[in-house]
Amino acid sequence: VHLSARRDDNEAYGVEETWGAGLGYKLDASHRIRASSGTSFKAPSFNDLYFPGFGNPDLEPEEATSYEVGIEGRYVQWFWDLAVYQSDVEDLSLPAQNQAGSVPEARLRGVELSSGWQQDGWSLKAAASIGSFEDKKTKRQLARRAERTLRIDLDKQIDTWSFGTTVRAESHRYDDVFGAGRQRIAGFGVWDLRASKALFTGWRASLTVDNVLDNEYATVKDFSNNDFIVAGRTAFLSVRYDFAR
């Protein structure tokens, strides 16, 4: 059983009280069900309110009530998890190009499924989600939110080396472009690679290559109503030291 309560005293928006409650029950050694509910409060940022040419001082704080139920199974070498959720949001912050805005009433609901397996240094994880994110008044899909996503991670540990790959995919989304109405942005898929090696005690070097195939995709539109292209193939080399060792 989990219970929480919070009280915020905001100089601009007054006192806001939020709460959360959750209950889990173990059916047997491998299976558990759970249910939770809660409220949230988020005040607009300084940029949302006052950034030159973009800020909107009339914005109200975002408030939501959320619910989730789930069931999971965990075994010696693998697991699965299924969750169903819904959030009813008032004054949902809305990304826009010309001015910060909000949706008076929005509803976000969906299903998330994840699973994973590990054995002999191998690790495989997969997660998929299907949702319906809409403006309750217009029944339109919320801007800049993909309603279907998929991610698959495969990793292998060999002595002091670790190798891995990720495939990510998202469905189409929409952007509310100033002066041009609603515009559709195509979905995309991306393939990433990574490798790392433990060098000395506490030290590890890592190399990652994102978007290996250099796919061209976007998640928003620019001011000229063109796709704002995300960075293509990108490589990162890093060396890390863990002080906790």
Side-chain angles (χ1 to χ4, degrees):
V1 177
H2 169 82
L3 298 172
S4 64
R6 172 171 170 153
R7 180 183 177 93
D8 289 272
D9 188 357
N10 187 294
E11 290 185 353
Y13 299 104
V15 175
E16 294 288 342
E17 297 169 338
T18 54
W19 57 268
L23 176 65
Y25 181 73
K26 201 168 185 178
L27 301 173
D28 54 36
S30 300
H31 302 92
R32 186 172 70 102
I33 56 175
R34 65 183 185 276
S36 62
S37 181
T39 60
S40 62
F41 162 84
K42 185 178 76 172
S45 69
F46 182 85
N47 283 344
D48 290 337
L49 294 170
Y50 305 115
F51 191 87
F54 174 80
N56 181 357
D58 296 325
L59 289 178
E60 294 294 329
E62 181 179 300
E63 300 183 41
T65 303
S66 302
Y67 312 90
E68 179 180 307
V69 293
I71 183 171
E72 64 184 63
R74 297 188 177 274
Y75 316 96
V76 176
Q77 295 173 326
W78 71 288
F79 76 92
W80 58 268
D81 188 289
L82 177 65
V84 180
Y85 66 88
Q86 176 173 310
S87 292
D88 293 304
V89 190
E90 294 182 2
D91 297 304
L92 175 69
S93 298
L94 175 68
Q97 294 178 326
N98 58 311
Q99 187 181 49
S102 63
V103 176
E105 293 187 15
R107 174 167 291 165
L108 296 78
R109 53 171 55 152
V111 179
E112 296 178 341
L113 175 64
S114 61
S115 185
W117 164 87
Q118 60 181 19
Q119 184 177 6
D120 299 330
W122 288 96
S123 174
L124 176 63
K125 295 180 181 179
S129 66
I130 300 177
S132 173
F133 313 137
E134 67 176 18
D135 182 324
K136 292 176 69 173
K137 181 179 180 180
T138 65
K139 305 301 180 182
R140 296 198 310 181
Q141 180 177 331
L142 295 175
R144 299 185 181 179
R145 290 176 183 262
E147 294 190 331
R148 297 186 300 278
T149 66
L150 172 68
R151 179 183 176 117
I152 301 174
D153 295 283
L154 178 64
D155 292 273
K156 172 63 175 177
Q157 185 75 37
I158 305 176
D159 196 20
T160 58
W161 286 89
S162 176
F163 302 92
T165 184
T166 297
V167 174
R168 297 176 287 122
E170 297 186 9
S171 65
H172 71 274
R173 68 194 71 199
Y174 294 94
D175 204 352
D176 294 326
V177 182
F178 178 60
R182 168 148 289 205
Q183 300 293 310
R184 190 179 191 273
I185 304 175
F188 64 89
V190 177
W191 176 36
D192 305 329
L193 291 173
R194 58 187 170 273
S196 67
K197 177 176 172 54
L199 303 175
F200 314 104
T201 302
W203 290 90
R204 178 171 289 272
S206 301
L207 172 66
T208 63
V209 181
D210 294 339
N211 194 4
V212 175
L213 300 180
D214 200 25
N215 291 344
E216 185 176 286
Y217 69 97
T219 58
V220 299
K221 295 278 188 179
D222 63 20
F223 288 102
S224 299
N225 193 26
N226 298 314
D227 287 347
F228 190 84
I229 304 301
V230 176
R233 184 186 301 112
T234 310
F236 299 91
L237 178 63
S238 62
V239 178
R240 176 180 176 181
Y241 178 72
D242 187 354
F243 289 92
R245 289 180 176 273

